[in-house]
Amino acid sequence: MEIDQRNTPPGGKKREELKQIIVVLIGLPGSGKSTFCEEVAKISNRPWVRVCQDAINNGKSGTKIMCLSVAAAALEYGKSVLIDRCNIDKEQRADFLKLGGSETEKHAVVLDLPNSLCISRSVKRSGHEGKLQGGRAAQVVNHMAPKKELPKLSEGFNRIMFCYNEKDVKEAIKLYGSLSLCDSLPFGCFGQKSVDSMVQVGIRSFFKKQDTSGNAKSVPEDSGNQGAEAGSHTAGDALEKKGKHDKVDVTISISGSTASCSIPTLAFPSISTADFQFDLEKASDIIVEQVEEYIGRIGEAKLVMVDLSHGSKILSLVKTKAAKKNIDSNKFSTFVGDITQLRSCGGLSCNVIANPTNWEIKPGGGGVNAAVFKAAGFVLEVATKERAEKLAAGECVVVPLPSSSPWFGAEGVTHVIHVLGPNMNPKRPNCLKDDYTKGCKILREAYSSLFEGFASIVKPYGNKDQNGKRAAAYVPENNKKTKDSSSSLSKSGVNNRNQDEQGSNTKTWNPWAQALHKIAMSPDSHKDIVLEVSDHVVVIKDSYPKAQQHLLVIARCHGLDSLADVSGEDIPLMKEMHDVGLKWAEKLILENNSLEFRLGYHSIPSMRQLHLHVISQDFDSTHLKNKKHWLSFNTPFFLDSVNVVKQLEEAGELRLGNESFFDGVLRCHRCLSVNPNMPKLKNHLRSCKDPLTFLIQNGYLISSEGKYSR
DNA sequence: GTTCTAGAAC
DNA sequence: GTTCTAGAAC
């Protein structure tokens, strides 16, 4: 035992000023418990006492009773205590939790490192206090490992922190080492991989302390927090409000606020403006801009922005800016209330709830995230895990809420959309510092992604109005689990933006793939790159042209992401796109009569929103870099516009190419010679002057030599 | 879709 | 040693 004598004995210091903590280390031999204690003691200003069973008996191994006795004495002396023994099951830990008074905080730090690592460390070490090293150590670890029982809050811990690797351990050391005499840490479970006890209590008092204590030291980043946005809405708040604050303010009138859930409604809090400290003015601009963009796309569905606090600045800013833009208050409103109890306490039926989560999409961190996971129950964690393991900033995942969730019955919630916003808080992971260029971009993506997710739930199902646009119609929630097997599915399985749970055209679109879609939906916001805009199409120059001239004719119709969405009824639109492309090709040929053009579509585009390529056949461009670039324009993966229209007219459907064409050889489109690699092909293309016989014969080429027929 | 880069190919 | 590809990350 090592007693720190820096502190005064009982009576010498007022006990009220201290926050005494018992930290029960839990871990196999070799998991790093002793190192943890030594490191914490080394960097800490707090008087820690390490109670180590391996050395408690005059440097030799002692008993549990001895540990309890020494720990009790240390607490009497106003110290905080680190219990350095394995404590692998509930029974071994129970007596330590009885020590100290009601003011003493009981923490567990679980060093759940891989058994193999513990064995390897134990075997290799020398001079171990308990003489557990060499071959015997491996035996002991193997014997002990199956008996390991992870701690739960219900055992009596205020806080449990799980560490699974050295990085986690380092963070925990930093956290505990930086606690001064009066500091405390948020209560609850932090960092647990799989849980059955992940409940966070008392975090409200932690945030209150942060606000009110003038000398409170900022608490270091919590590994269990994982960047979760705390917000003004805490789990504690949610608990306290229950049964107390039934009254809520509707800051903009909501038509039919007590309406049945037949009108789909998304309730969303402000993303990133709470714990992630995003600038409120900038955030409110983005919220209103995104609401304006999406409000016309969700049919009769509604958006409601929710904040727990009266006098919320962000709510007020959004409300004012939305009013200035004349956004229909029947479609978009703000609401003061508890997002977890909108129907029961606020009379507001919202079937979809947005949750500003952390990158691991896990409970914790306080704020809305903690409250949502708590209210929706463990089934939400399970349902979430089936859909996604993690999120990148700007992404979201739509999770149908199982009917077994208490939220489903009590609040009528059918879906939760987890969304991760940008973090500007240096105390949280992945801080953007003051880079608001990036921050605004990500926040815009986050809202766009969220609203796309909502739109996918109230998805349009094929109905088109007279403008050719698909009218949104609410389809009752569908809990059918569908797994997207499309090649574009991100590795994490995250559904970005457009989650379509119906039909064979299911495809998810990453944030980077949304650029054309955004241009098509709001060409006015992209005037610098738009060459032409009409009711049905937008023409732009490809940002990364693969030839001297490379334009895109983008359809403006909702619900037409790619050729996979096209059917016979789209023939007029396809013809219009072709005519516009032809017009531009002819215009460019007038400027340079050596150009030859081909018009066509990629069978499986990378970018969302149906677009026609108008590309000159020189393929002279620095942006033509890899095999896929070439093959996507020079194999049947590229479908000529005339042929697409013809197929639609004759068969009513399309035969699309697939990505197997990307395995092909690099054949010159003129002389048909095969080239070993891209640099050599590009070099060859500069000198090959053979005619494009195949294209001419099929009527696919537009050149000064002859007219193109449709 | 692009960029970056490790490692394969030359 | 340089060139090129392919996969990861965005």
Side-chain angles (χ1 to χ4, degrees), chain A residues 512 546 606 625 629:
Chain A
W512 50 258
K546 305 299 183 293
S606 297
K625 290 177 176 171
H629 289 157

Coordinates of all heavy atoms in Angstrom, one line a residue, chain A residues 512 546 606 625 629, chain B residues 1-4 10:
Chain A
W512 N -21.0 12.2 -50.8 CA -20.3 12.7 -51.9 C -21.1 12.5 -53.2 O -20.8 13.1 -54.2 CB -18.9 12.2 -52.0 CG -18.8 10.7 -51.9 CD1 -18.5 9.9 -50.8 CD2 -19.2 9.7 -52.9 NE1 -18.5 8.6 -51.1 CE2 -18.9 8.4 -52.4 CE3 -19.6 9.8 -54.2 CZ2 -19.1 7.2 -53.1 CZ3 -19.8 8.6 -55.0 CH2 -19.6 7.3 -54.4
K546 N -13.9 14.0 -68.5 CA -13.0 12.9 -68.9 C -12.7 13.0 -70.4 O -12.1 12.1 -71.0 CB -13.8 11.5 -68.7 CG -14.2 11.3 -67.3 CD -13.1 11.2 -66.3 CE -13.5 10.9 -64.9 NZ -14.3 12.0 -64.3
S606 N -22.4 6.5 -60.3 CA -21.9 6.8 -58.9 C -22.6 7.9 -58.3 O -22.7 8.0 -57.1 CB -20.4 7.1 -59.0 OG -19.7 6.0 -59.5
K625 N -8.3 9.0 -65.5 CA -7.1 8.5 -64.7 C -7.0 6.9 -64.6 O -6.0 6.4 -64.7 CB -7.1 9.0 -63.3 CG -6.7 10.5 -63.3 CD -6.8 11.1 -61.9 CE -6.4 12.5 -61.9 NZ -6.6 13.2 -60.6
H629 N -12.6 4.6 -65.2 CA -13.0 5.8 -66.0 C -13.2 5.4 -67.5 O -14.2 5.7 -68.1 CB -11.9 6.9 -65.9 CG -11.9 7.5 -64.6 ND1 -10.8 8.2 -64.1 CD2 -12.8 7.7 -63.6 CE1 -11.0 8.7 -62.9 NE2 -12.2 8.4 -62.6
Chain B
dG1 P -18.5 7.1 -61.6 OP1 -19.8 7.1 -61.9 OP2 -17.6 6.2 -61.5 O5' -18.3 8.5 -61.0 C5' -17.2 9.2 -61.1 C4' -17.2 10.3 -60.1 O4' -18.0 10.0 -59.0 C3' -15.8 10.5 -59.6 O3' -15.1 11.4 -60.5 C2' -16.0 11.1 -58.3 C1' -17.3 10.5 -57.8 N9 -17.1 9.3 -56.9 C8 -17.4 8.0 -57.2 N7 -17.2 7.2 -56.1 C5 -16.7 8.1 -55.2 C6 -16.2 7.8 -53.9 O6 -16.2 6.7 -53.3 N1 -15.7 8.9 -53.2 C2 -15.7 10.2 -53.8 N2 -15.2 11.2 -53.0 N3 -16.2 10.5 -55.0 C4 -16.6 9.4 -55.7
dT2 P -13.6 11.3 -60.7 OP1 -13.2 12.2 -61.7 OP2 -13.2 9.9 -60.7 O5' -13.1 11.9 -59.3 C5' -13.4 13.2 -58.9 C4' -12.7 13.6 -57.6 O4' -13.1 12.6 -56.6 C3' -11.2 13.4 -57.7 O3' -10.5 14.5 -57.2 C2' -10.9 12.2 -57.0 C1' -12.0 12.0 -56.0 N1 -12.4 10.6 -55.7 C2 -12.2 10.1 -54.4 O2 -11.8 10.8 -53.5 N3 -12.5 8.8 -54.3 C4 -13.0 7.9 -55.3 O4 -13.3 6.8 -55.0 C5 -13.2 8.5 -56.6 C7 -13.7 7.7 -57.7 C6 -12.8 9.8 -56.7
dT3 P -9.0 14.7 -57.3 OP1 -8.7 16.1 -57.4 OP2 -8.4 13.7 -58.4 O5' -8.5 14.1 -55.9 C5' -9.0 14.7 -54.7 C4' -8.3 14.0 -53.5 O4' -8.9 12.6 -53.4 C3' -6.8 13.8 -53.6 O3' -6.3 14.2 -52.4 C2' -6.6 12.4 -53.9 C1' -7.8 11.7 -53.3 N1 -8.3 10.4 -53.8 C2 -8.6 9.4 -53.0 O2 -8.4 9.5 -51.8 N3 -9.0 8.3 -53.6 C4 -9.3 8.1 -54.9 O4 -9.7 7.0 -55.4 C5 -8.9 9.2 -55.8 C7 -9.1 9.1 -57.3 C6 -8.5 10.3 -55.2
dC4 P -4.7 14.4 -52.2 OP1 -4.5 15.5 -51.3 OP2 -4.0 14.3 -53.6 O5' -4.3 13.0 -51.5 C5' -5.0 12.7 -50.3 C4' -4.6 11.3 -49.8 O4' -5.2 10.3 -50.7 C3' -3.1 11.1 -50.0 O3' -2.6 10.6 -48.7 C2' -3.0 10.0 -51.1 C1' -4.3 9.3 -51.0 N1 -4.8 8.7 -52.3 C2 -5.3 7.4 -52.3 O2 -5.4 6.8 -51.2 N3 -5.8 6.9 -53.4 C4 -5.7 7.6 -54.5 N4 -6.2 7.0 -55.7 C5 -5.2 8.9 -54.6 C6 -4.7 9.4 -53.5
dC10 P 4.1 -6.8 -64.6 OP1 3.2 -6.8 -65.8 OP2 4.5 -8.1 -64.1 O5' 5.3 -5.9 -64.8 C5' 5.1 -4.5 -65.2 C4' 6.3 -3.8 -65.1 O4' 6.7 -3.7 -63.7 C3' 7.5 -4.4 -65.8 O3' 7.9 -3.5 -66.9 C2' 8.6 -4.5 -64.8 C1' 8.2 -3.5 -63.7 N1 8.6 -3.8 -62.3 C2 9.3 -2.8 -61.7 O2 9.5 -1.7 -62.2 N3 9.8 -3.0 -60.4 C4 9.6 -4.2 -59.9 N4 10.1 -4.4 -58.6 C5 8.9 -5.2 -60.5 C6 8.5 -5.0 -61.7

